[in-house]
């Protein structure tokens, strides 16, 4: 498994664990809006400032992989990131973004295109 994507990164803790274990990973795309989506009403929603702090924490935590050219940050919605990444690109995906049914289904469909569409 050499190419992965994580949708919903927050502070980067899961990405760090994944990259620490997956030593052959050549590229790991990190997709998270790291901002407030006005169309998503999450309980206890964080402000843009807090979301930005999360992104900065993720960048610091994952710096050694970024310096090696492994990680790439996509601070956009997953559907916007999908437009910037070729189909059938990833070997694996981890989804932990918006936690309601329609959003999860949308992310599963996007990841299907990322990983499997021929």
């Amino acid at each position: 498994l050499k190419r992965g994507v994580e949708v919903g990164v927050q502070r980067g803790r899961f990405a760090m664990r994944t990259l620490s274990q997956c030593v052959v990973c050549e590229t790991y795309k990190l997709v998270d809006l790291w901002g407030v989506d006005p169309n998503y009403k999450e309980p206890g929603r964080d402000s843009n400032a807090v979301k930005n702090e999360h992104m900065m924490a993720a960048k610091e935590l994952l710096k050694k992989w970024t310096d090696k050219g492994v990680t790439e940050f996509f601070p956009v919605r997953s559907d916007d990131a999908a437009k910037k990444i070729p189909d059938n690109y990833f070997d694996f995906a981890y989804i932990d973004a918006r936690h309601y049914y329609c959003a999860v289904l949308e992310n599963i469909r996007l990841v299907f295109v990322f990983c499997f569409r021929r």
Side-chain angles (χ1 to χ4, degrees), residues 6 8-16 19 30-32 34 50-66 71 73:
E6 184 171 323
V9 180
Q10 197 178 40
R11 299 179 68 84
R13 292 184 189 115
F14 187 82
M16 184 197 64
L19 290 165
L30 302 151
V31 179
D32 195 308
W34 284 295
V50 169
K51 301 266 188 182
N52 188 58
E53 287 174 20
H54 290 201
M55 182 175 65
M56 299 312 292
K59 286 185 174 189
E60 181 62 31
L61 192 63
L62 302 169
K63 184 178 183 332
K64 78 176 191 181
W65 290 282
T66 302
T71 55
F73 286 78

Side-chain angles (χ1 to χ4, degrees), residues 93-118:
Y94 175 73
I95 301 172
D96 187 17
R98 298 171 295 158
H99 299 113
Y100 60 93
Y101 178 80
C102 291
V104 172
L105 185 60
E106 176 185 8
N107 280 320
I108 289 170
R109 287 180 175 147
L110 287 170
V111 165
F112 183 82
V113 170
F114 282 160
C115 295
F116 306 113
R117 189 168 79 184
R118 306 256 180 233

